[in-house]
Amino acid sequence: MNITTVADGITRITANVENILFEGFWELPDGVSLNSYVVKGEKTAIIDGMININDIEKAFINALDKVNIKLEDVDYLIVNHMEPDHSGWFESMARLNPDVTILCSQKSADLLDAFFGWTENVSVVSDGDSVDLGAGRVLTFHEIPNVHWPDTMATFDTLSGTLFSCDAFGSYGKVSDKGYDDLLSEDELAHYESEAERYYANIIAAFSLFMNKALDKIAKLPVKIIAPGHGIVWRKDPARVISDYTRYASYQKGPCMPEVTLLWGSMYGMTKKGVDHIIDAFCDTECNLHVHNVIDDSISKILASVWRSTGVILAMPTYEYKMFPPMASVLEEVCRKKAQNRIAFRIGSYGWSGGANSDLEEIMQRNRANWEFLPPVEYNGSPSEEELALMTARTQELIKRVKEAAE
């Protein structure tokens, strides 16, 4: 456990988790932090919790001992969000202190019952409610539903100006004692921002409409520090991460960055010939290109690239009259995250029959993605010189339109 001081009377207890898939799905090459916060006035509150793996419960109690807090002396457990990565230890912690009061939204209360069968000492708080911890410390509660579960709320400490934002403003990546923006170098901050963008694309992207509503609500609070459930604490420049998240949310409907993501898959190398030609066509441009093989690259990274890119190139063969199945799977997830209004075009090889393009159109129409496609370049077997030249022309047109849209 990592124990640090956020501000006077606020302690962060962090567990770094590695070698798991976040939500059972997303890769974590640099791990992820689980942040819990102890807030003291005359009374004591614990805000957010941790997943119950690897004896975290025992380690958490030991961490409390190190800051001279006994679990039985904790007055409130504040559940900002009931997803088990925040509440997995909840049941055992509540049983160890049967007198503790659980503060949460009504939807969280319903989920506490559903997940743990827990209904004791639950006090439901509504938007704008508060609890007085004494010594001038008042916590207020602000519902930010669907960021990214429907029960989510943020807790605001009026004394220090600290917003305990739950999943909002979070990121992947382990944190150390230096896990604060005022203690990190610019390169280190850039790493966390990159991991925040990937986290957003994986976890929150589909709920960008609700993220925008949360941003509007948070803008009305005198926030001085942002303390999320995952990632670093922002106490020097909280406006920076707010700006980041405002930008990430805007990518849903675009335009995004003046960049292009190329997603490709090939069975026998015929489609790859076109891919290699398109990559070469980017060499003399100033447009950033992200290239992902849908077989080898993780969906986590693919989503992050598509989320930030105004343009998308899809390269895949026809397979049994339809789209290459791995590409179809990736595009379904991209559409599920609601990456809309991209400028795109497709290339691909076929053998005895085409069909991939009609499959692509069906996926896009069904998901109301509203992507604007240039005419495809689909070729029988290996691409001819004329077809390669057409790919170059389409690529140049795409780059031009991406830059114009992203200005």
Side-chain angles (χ1 to χ4, degrees):
M1 287 288 177
N2 183 305
I3 306 168
T4 56
T5 299
V6 177
D8 186 39
I10 304 175
T11 300
R12 185 186 68 184
I13 300 176
T14 296
N16 288 314
V17 179
E18 301 178 82
N19 301 318
I20 67 168
L21 295 174
F22 199 60
E23 295 189 323
F25 193 38
W26 310 112
E27 66 172 10
L28 297 171
D30 190 37
V32 67
S33 69
L34 309 176
N35 300 327
S36 184
Y37 300 93
V38 182
V39 183
K40 285 185 62 63
E42 294 167 352
K43 296 181 178 180
T44 301
I46 295 177
I47 303 175
D48 289 333
M50 301 175 183
I51 195 168
N52 193 16
I53 60 173
N54 301 330
D55 293 323
I56 280 182
E57 172 198 319
K58 181 179 179 181
F60 188 85
I61 293 172
N62 289 338
L64 289 177
D65 286 339
K66 291 180 181 179
V67 292
N68 299 315
I69 295 174
K70 296 185 181 299
L71 185 60
E72 56 266 30
D73 294 331
V74 174
D75 299 281
Y76 301 104
L77 286 180
I78 298 175
V79 180
N80 275 341
H81 174 43
M82 237 302 296
E83 191 174 11
D85 61 317
H86 296 261
S87 67
W89 55 251
F90 167 80
E91 185 175 17
S92 56
M93 299 293 279
R95 292 192 189 284
L96 288 169
N97 180 357
D99 296 323
V100 72
T101 297
I102 294 95
L103 301 177
C104 63
S105 69
Q106 179 61 62
K107 289 183 179 179
S108 274
D110 295 340
L111 290 169
L112 285 172
D113 188 14
F115 276 68
F116 303 117
W118 192 277
T119 58
E120 299 175 28
N121 297 335
V122 175
S123 180
V124 171
V125 296
S126 300
D127 196 48
D129 285 351
S130 64
V131 62
D132 192 342
L133 298 185
R137 175 151 272 142
V138 176
L139 302 179
T140 60
F141 305 106
H142 307 271
E143 294 180 357
I144 50 172
N146 296 307
V147 182
H148 67 115
W149 275 26
D151 64 313
T152 308
M153 68 180 188
T155 301
F156 182 66
D157 172 34
T158 59
L159 183 61
S160 66
T162 301
L163 181 73
F164 302 96
S165 59
C166 197
D167 279 345
F169 310 118
S171 76
Y172 294 140
K174 302 187 297 291
V175 301
S176 67
D177 291 348
K178 291 174 55 182
Y180 296 84
D181 67 330
D182 54 315
L183 301 178
L184 296 170
S185 69
E186 189 57 38
D187 285 345
E188 289 168 326
L189 283 174
H191 168 71
Y192 281 109
E193 287 180 309
S194 175
E195 285 291 81
E197 186 176 65
R198 186 167 69 89
Y199 169 91
Y200 188 97
N202 296 174
I203 305 300
I204 301 178
F207 307 100
S208 292
L209 171 65
F210 299 97
M211 187 68 237
N212 280 319
K213 292 180 179 179
L215 287 163
D216 289 342
K217 180 173 286 189
I218 288 164
K220 299 174 184 177
L221 299 173
V223 175
K224 297 179 181 178
I225 300 172
I226 290 181
H230 308 287
I232 65 171
V233 170
W234 297 81
R235 61 186 180 190
K236 176 184 177 182
D237 189 8
R240 177 167 172 170
V241 73
I242 291 173
S243 176
D244 286 343
Y245 262 66
T246 301
R247 187 173 70 256
Y248 304 155
S250 76
Y251 291 166
Q252 182 182 71
K253 296 185 178 181
C256 314
M257 298 295 289
E259 299 176 1
V260 175
T261 290
L262 192 165
L263 305 180
W264 72 278
S266 187
M267 290 190 290
Y268 299 112
M270 299 300 103
T271 297
K272 188 175 184 299
K273 289 182 179 181
V275 170
D276 292 341
H277 185 79
I278 287 173
I279 291 173
D280 288 342
F282 271 83
C283 290
D284 296 328
T285 72
E286 296 180 354
C287 184
N288 194 15
L289 176 68
H290 309 281
V291 181
H292 295 283
N293 184 323
V294 295
I295 295 293
D296 296 332
D297 284 7
S298 74
I299 186 66
S300 173
K301 292 180 180 178
I302 289 171
L303 286 174
S305 291
V306 173
W307 193 254
R308 67 179 284 115
S309 296
T310 298
V312 180
I313 298 173
L314 304 174
M316 70 287 195
T318 293
Y319 181 85
E320 296 180 353
Y321 307 103
K322 290 185 176 293
M323 189 189 309
F324 189 47
M327 180 68 80
S329 177
V330 165
L331 287 180
E332 290 285 4
E333 189 61 31
V334 167
C335 288
R336 188 176 293 117
K337 298 303 181 186
K338 296 183 171 60
Q340 300 173 346
N341 302 317
R342 275 27 179 197
I343 303 168
F345 90 95
R346 178 206 161 237
I347 70 164
S349 175
Y350 66 93
W352 65 90
S353 172
N357 220 61
S358 60
D359 207 18
L360 171 62
E361 290 174 357
E362 189 278 328
I363 289 175
M364 291 292 156
Q365 290 173 6
R366 171 165 44 81
N367 288 284
R368 300 178 182 178
N370 198 34
W371 287 22
E372 184 180 352
F373 279 88
L374 304 181
V377 179
E378 192 170 37
Y379 48 91
N380 185 210
S382 185
S384 66
E385 290 300 320
E386 291 79 7
E387 287 162 338
L388 290 173
L390 188 54
M391 289 181 208
T392 298
R394 292 278 191 274
T395 299
Q396 292 171 343
E397 182 180 354
L398 181 77
I399 292 171
K400 177 177 180 292
R401 295 180 64 175
V402 162
K403 288 182 175 180
E404 290 173 349
E407 285 182 353

